[in-house]
Amino acid sequence: MKRRNKVLVLACRFIVLMFCAHLALPGTGASATTPASAESSRPMDVQGKSVPQAAQQGQPLSPQPSGQAPTPLGTVPRAPGEKSDFERYVSGKSPAAISLDIGQFGYDLFAKPPSTFAPSPNVPVGPDYVVGPGDAIKIDVWGRFEGNWSVVVNNDGTISLPKIGVFGVAGVSFKELKELLHKKFSKYYGGFDMNVSLGPLRTIQVYVVGNAQRPGAYTISSLSTVINALFESGGPLKTGSMRNIQVKRNGKTVVTFDLYDLLLQGDKTRDLRLMPEDVIFIPPVGPLAGIAGTVNTPAIYELKGETRLLDLIAMAGGITGTAYKGRVQIQRTEDHHSRIVFEGDLLDIEHNPAKNLVLQDSDLAKIFAVADNSKTVTVTGAVANPGEYGVTPGVTTVKDIISLAGGLLYYTSDQAEMTRVTATQSGPKTDIFSIDLAKALAGAPQHNVPLQTNDYLLVRTIPEWSIYRTAAIKGEVRFPGTYTFKQGEPLSSLIERAGGFTPRAYLRGAMFTRERVREQQQRQINEMAERLERELSGAGAAQVATASSPDDARMVQFELEQKRQFIAQLKAARAKGRIALNITEMTTFRGSAYDIELEQGDTITVPSDPKTVQVIGSVYNQSAFVYEQSKEYGYYVDLAGGYTSNADKGNVFILQANGTALKAGGSFLGFGQRLGSGDTVVVPEQLDRIAWMRNIKDITQIMYQIAVAAGVLIVVF
C-alpha cells in the first residue's frame, strides 16, 4: 500500500508540474466546464449492422428484408458498406489472391420461414382448377325458376342435388364443372341462367421425401405448387439435388423440376400444381463444380448433363469487368488426388473446344483479376493538378507531363527535382537530378528528358513561399481582429498595428497561444497519461491476483475502476498552447526577450483587470474573492474557510495570471514575486496520508480545477 501511494504521489505531482510549466492560465480566472461541453465530448455509440453469424461461418443466409438489395444466392454476402470487386479495383485495393470462400448455389433460397411463401386460400381459382373431395360448390340459378345450393364434394368424389340426384365431379376442371352442372339442370329445367363458384379451398396432403431439410407429409392448400411444398419442407439439403426434383403421381414421374431455371432465368413453367397424395422426391445432389474469382456470383454449382467451362461461367453471371481473360485455371480431383488439369486463357474460348473443357464432378475453376501494370509517373508541387499520370516510357517528356498537369503556377521556381528508381540485379538504384524548368519547357534535350515508369517529379515553389500569414489579436486593443504579417515581424509590431492597448487592458493577464506549442503540449499530456496508465494498470492486476479474500478482491476491482476514470480524465485534457510572456507597456516591451517573432495562427488575448483572486483545492469554500492589493495568499485562504485537515500546507502554490507558477512564500518556476489580480491559489491534498479511494476522488477534483485554471479542458464523465 505504501509503495502504491508513493507511486501515485510522484505521478500526480509530476502532472501538476507539467500543467503549471506548459499550460495556460486565463486572465479572467477559472471557469467550470459546461454540461454542454462535457456532453459533446462523450464517445458516441456507433450503430451498424453486423455480419450475421451464418455469413461468418460460410453458411447460407436468409433473403434480405423488403427494401434492401438482394444477396446473390449461394454466396457469402458482403457486410453493409463493403466494397464490390470493381470498387476495390478502382481504389487500388483489389485482392491479389482469389477467395475460395464460396458456398453451394441456391440453397439459401429456403432459409426464410415457410409461412411467408404459403399461397393464400382466398384467391380466385382458374378454369384449370381440378375439383376434389372437400371442395365447397355454390350454385345460383335464376330465370324461369330460381334457387341456390351449397354442396361439398364427398370423399367418394360425388355431390347430391335435389331432383338431379347424385353424380361424380372429382377430377374434373372448374371449367368442366360449370358445363357438367348446366347439362344436368337442363334435363329438368329450361329458360334459366346459372352461376357456379367455389367456397373456401380445400387442403391436400402431399409427401416430401429424399434429401429434404424436413421430409414428411404436409397438408397444404389445393392451389400449392412444387415450390410451395419445397418451402414448407425447408428445401433440399446440401446433399440433395436442386436440378432433378421429381413429382410422382400414381407411381409415375409427372414432372422433373430444375430450380436453376427459377434462380437463373426466373422460369416457373414447370412448377406443377400439386394433387392429393403427390410425392416430391429430392434425389442426391449431382456432380458439383465450383467457380471462384472475378465472376459475378462465385459459388459451387450443380452440373446437369454435359456442362462445359463457358456454361459454368454463364451460371455464375459471367465474368466481371476486372477479369483477366489471359488466364484461367481448372483444378480437378482424380483418383483422390488434386491436380491442375488446365492452365490457359479465355481469349478465344467460344471457338476453341480444347479450351472449353467438359467439366467433371469436384472441378474448381479460377478466374483471375487483371494485374496492376499501369505505367505512371507522379507529379507534385507547384502545378495546377498534381497527381499520377499515364506515360509512354521513353516517349513522354517533362514538358509533356507538365502540360498534362495543367501547367506551372505563378509562384513556381525554375528548379524541379526528378527521382528515378531503376531495378538492378544488386537491388534498386535511386537517381535524383535537377531539372531547369525554363529550359525543359523550351525543349532543351538535357532538361526535357524522357520519363520512365514510376518517375517522381517535384516542381518546387519559390523559396519560402507563402501567400500570407495571419495572427489574431483580441480583447483590450483599439482594433482587434486577424492581421497578416511579414516574415520575421515581432509581436510588438502586431500590437502597434492594432492601435495599441486600451486604458482597460490588464497586461499582466495577457494570454499568448501558438499552435506549434499546443501540439507539443498535447503530445506531452498524452505520453504522460499513457505512462501513468501502464504503471497503475500493472500494479492493479498484480493486486487482484494476490487478493487474500473476496472482499479484498472486490475492493481492488473498485480501485481499478477509479484508476481508469482518473486516467480517462487525463486523456481528455486538451492543451491550449500558451506561452508565458511578460507583456508590459510598449516602451519597455518592444525589443525585449518576450517580443517574439510571429508564426502562422498565433493568437494574443488582452483581458481587462478581473480584480479577483481564486482559491481552489483543499479548502472549505473554493471560490473567487475580490483582489485587495498587498494582501498575501494566506489572507485569501482564510476567506475560503481555511485549510482542511488533509491540506498540504507546505506545497501551496500560486498560478499567476501571466501563465507562470509561484510557490507560496518564494519564487518557483516564474518571474513574479507577489500575489496579483487574476491569480489562483492552489492548496493540494496530502496524498500520502489518505486512503486510495479518497485519493482518487480528491485527486480527480484537484486535477480538474488545476486544469481549468491552466486553460485545459477536461471532460467530466
Side-chain angles (χ1 to χ4, degrees):
M1 179 64 72
K2 291 182 178 179
R3 182 181 179 183
R4 185 173 64 212
N5 287 340
K6 184 177 181 181
V7 171
L8 181 63
V9 170
L10 293 176
C12 291
R13 286 180 177 171
F14 177 69
I15 294 171
V16 171
L17 293 178
M18 291 291 292
F19 277 132
C20 295
H22 295 291
L23 305 181
L25 174 67
T28 57
S31 59
T33 305
T34 64
S37 63
E39 182 68 25
S40 63
S41 61
R42 295 180 181 177
M44 301 296 293
D45 291 333
V46 180
Q47 297 181 351
K49 298 179 180 179
S50 60
V51 179
Q53 184 177 4
Q56 297 171 3
Q57 299 174 350
Q59 299 174 0
L61 297 181
S62 302
Q64 300 295 316
S66 175
Q68 296 184 10
T71 299
L73 298 172
T75 62
V76 178
R78 294 185 175 94
E82 183 180 350
K83 292 183 179 297
S84 67
D85 293 338
F86 185 66
E87 288 174 324
R88 288 195 295 268
Y89 172 77
V90 171
S91 63
K93 298 179 181 179
S94 182
I98 290 179
S99 172
L100 298 180
D101 187 14
I102 56 178
Q104 286 180 238
F105 177 76
Y107 290 87
D108 48 358
L109 174 67
F110 301 97
K112 199 164 186 179
S115 60
T116 305
F117 302 94
S120 172
N122 301 316
V123 296
V125 297
D128 58 343
Y129 176 78
V130 178
V131 178
D135 278 335
I137 302 173
K138 184 177 181 181
I139 306 168
D140 293 297
V141 178
W142 65 93
R144 295 182 61 181
F145 83 100
E146 296 181 353
N148 56 75
W149 297 267
S150 293
V151 294
V152 178
V153 182
N154 298 322
N155 290 338
D156 59 358
T158 63
I159 60 174
S160 176
L161 292 172
K163 194 173 183 179
I164 295 174
V166 178
F167 57 97
V169 295
V172 302
S173 66
F174 184 52
K175 179 181 179 182
E176 294 170 340
L177 175 65
K178 292 181 178 181
E179 296 173 351
L180 175 62
L181 290 173
H182 194 278
K183 182 178 179 180
K184 292 289 186 181
F185 274 84
S186 297
K187 290 181 180 181
Y188 303 97
Y189 305 103
F192 67 89
D193 290 316
M194 174 183 290
N195 179 65
V196 180
S197 60
L198 290 178
L201 298 178
R202 73 184 189 279
T203 59
I204 61 175
Q205 187 175 59
V206 298
Y207 303 90
V208 182
V209 297
N211 291 269
Q213 292 281 355
R214 298 184 296 274
Y218 289 87
T219 300
I220 58 178
S221 166
S222 58
L223 288 179
S224 296
T225 64
V226 178
I227 290 180
N228 299 132
L230 289 175
F231 275 118
E232 291 285 349
S233 65
L237 292 167
K238 288 195 174 182
T239 57
S241 175
M242 295 277 288
R243 310 200 63 183
N244 190 27
I245 300 172
Q246 303 167 18
V247 179
K248 299 180 180 291
R249 184 175 297 162
N250 299 324
K252 297 181 180 179
T253 301
V254 295
V255 71
T256 299
F257 186 63
D258 187 346
L259 273 170
Y260 278 22
D261 292 341
L262 171 65
L263 296 176
L264 299 178
Q265 304 172 27
D267 184 3
K268 279 187 59 180
T269 55
R270 300 185 67 81
D271 185 21
L272 183 71
R273 180 176 293 170
L274 298 174
M275 299 293 293
E277 302 302 311
D278 278 355
V279 176
I280 300 174
F281 174 64
I282 303 177
V285 67
L288 298 173
I291 183 168
T294 50
V295 291
N296 286 302
T297 311
I300 298 171
Y301 293 87
E302 183 179 354
L303 307 182
K304 185 177 182 181
E306 182 181 277
T307 305
R308 294 183 176 271
L309 178 57
L310 275 181
D311 300 325
L312 181 63
I313 293 174
M315 284 192 287
I319 61 176
T320 67
T322 61
Y324 177 52
K325 299 185 71 173
R327 185 188 180 193
V328 61
Q329 183 185 94
I330 297 179
Q331 182 177 319
R332 177 168 295 170
T333 301
E334 290 182 340
D335 298 329
H336 304 286
H337 290 282
S338 177
R339 64 186 182 90
I340 305 299
V341 297
F342 179 73
E343 186 81 55
D345 58 64
L346 301 173
L347 296 176
D348 58 345
I349 189 172
E350 296 87 351
H351 310 291
N352 191 338
K355 295 181 180 180
N356 194 17
L357 295 180
V358 176
L359 299 175
Q360 298 181 13
D361 190 20
S362 300
D363 280 357
L364 174 62
K366 299 179 182 178
I367 311 297
F368 295 85
V370 294
D372 185 9
N373 293 324
S374 56
K375 297 179 174 62
T376 62
V377 299
T378 300
V379 182
T380 186
V383 292
N385 300 297
E388 287 190 353
Y389 290 88
V391 297
T392 303
V395 176
T396 306
T397 64
V398 171
K399 179 180 179 180
D400 298 331
I401 205 67
I402 289 177
S403 176
L404 290 173
L408 302 175
L409 300 178
Y410 68 92
Y411 51 86
T412 302
S413 169
D414 286 338
Q415 295 298 315
E417 185 178 88
M418 175 76 74
T419 302
R420 177 170 295 167
V421 179
T422 307
T424 67
Q425 292 302 313
S426 58
K429 177 185 176 184
T430 302
D431 296 311
I432 301 176
F433 49 93
S434 297
I435 292 177
D436 189 313
L437 290 178
K439 294 180 180 179
L441 295 178
Q446 63 271 32
H447 294 278
N448 189 30
V449 296
L451 299 174
Q452 301 296 331
T453 302
N454 296 326
D455 279 354
Y456 187 94
L457 178 63
L458 170 62
V459 180
R460 295 172 174 162
T461 62
I462 59 177
E464 300 185 12
W465 166 255
S466 178
I467 189 169
Y468 52 77
R469 302 175 178 86
T470 60
I473 184 167
K474 305 176 182 179
E476 297 298 333
V477 291
R478 295 188 64 192
F479 306 109
T482 300
Y483 290 80
T484 61
F485 62 89
K486 300 181 295 184
Q487 184 175 0
E489 185 173 350
L491 175 59
S492 59
S493 174
L494 175 64
I495 296 173
E496 290 173 342
R497 290 167 58 194
F501 303 118
T502 68
R504 296 178 301 278
Y506 184 56
L507 302 185
R508 186 171 179 272
M511 184 171 66
F512 182 86
T513 60
R514 175 164 288 175
E515 179 63 22
R516 177 169 55 85
V517 175
R518 187 199 65 78
E519 294 174 355
Q520 179 184 4
Q521 291 174 355
Q522 191 63 53
R523 284 195 302 269
Q524 293 172 338
I525 293 173
N526 295 341
E527 292 171 0
M528 176 181 60
E530 291 173 2
R531 182 167 57 253
L532 187 59
E533 182 179 28
R534 289 193 300 269
E535 294 174 358
L536 294 181
S537 297
Q543 294 165 14
V544 172
T546 58
S548 59
S549 67
D551 290 339
D552 288 343
R554 284 192 294 270
M555 182 62 67
V556 172
Q557 290 289 355
F558 182 73
E559 291 179 0
L560 289 177
E561 181 60 29
Q562 296 292 325
K563 293 176 184 179
R564 294 189 188 99
Q565 295 178 7
F566 177 57
I567 296 298
Q569 288 187 328
L570 291 182
K571 287 184 175 181
R574 294 295 177 264
K576 298 189 68 174
R578 182 172 186 179
I579 299 177
L581 297 180
N582 187 20
I583 299 178
T584 59
E585 294 295 337
M586 294 304 299
T587 54
T588 57
F589 179 71
R590 187 186 302 108
S592 68
Y594 301 104
D595 190 13
I596 60 177
E597 290 186 6
L598 295 172
E599 292 185 7
Q600 170 63 31
D602 284 352
T603 301
I604 179 172
T605 303
V606 182
S608 58
D609 190 348
K611 297 181 180 179
T612 59
V613 171
Q614 287 206 105
V615 182
I616 62 173
S618 191
V619 293
Y620 286 102
N621 179 30
Q622 302 179 77
S623 184
F625 303 96
V626 175
Y627 172 69
E628 297 183 43
Q629 193 173 7
S630 75
K631 295 293 185 182
E632 300 295 336
Y633 74 94
Y635 170 77
Y636 298 98
V637 172
D638 291 339
L639 290 179
Y643 300 108
T644 66
S645 58
N646 293 320
D648 188 358
K649 302 177 183 179
N651 287 303
V652 177
F653 60 95
I654 299 168
L655 294 175
Q656 293 188 302
N658 57 18
T660 61
L662 183 70
K663 186 174 181 180
S667 297
F668 175 69
L669 295 178
F671 40 73
Q673 294 294 328
R674 299 185 61 84
L675 191 67
S677 176
D679 290 353
T680 300
V681 179
V682 181
V683 182
E685 272 315 302
Q686 294 187 42
L687 302 179
D688 54 348
R689 295 186 182 179
I690 51 180
W692 168 254
M693 289 190 297
R694 179 72 181 277
N695 263 343
I696 286 298
K697 177 182 177 182
D698 293 340
I699 291 171
T700 302
Q701 184 67 17
I702 291 173
M703 294 307 299
Y704 169 81
Q705 293 165 339
I706 292 174
V708 169
V712 176
L713 175 63
I714 287 185
V715 179
V716 180
F717 292 92

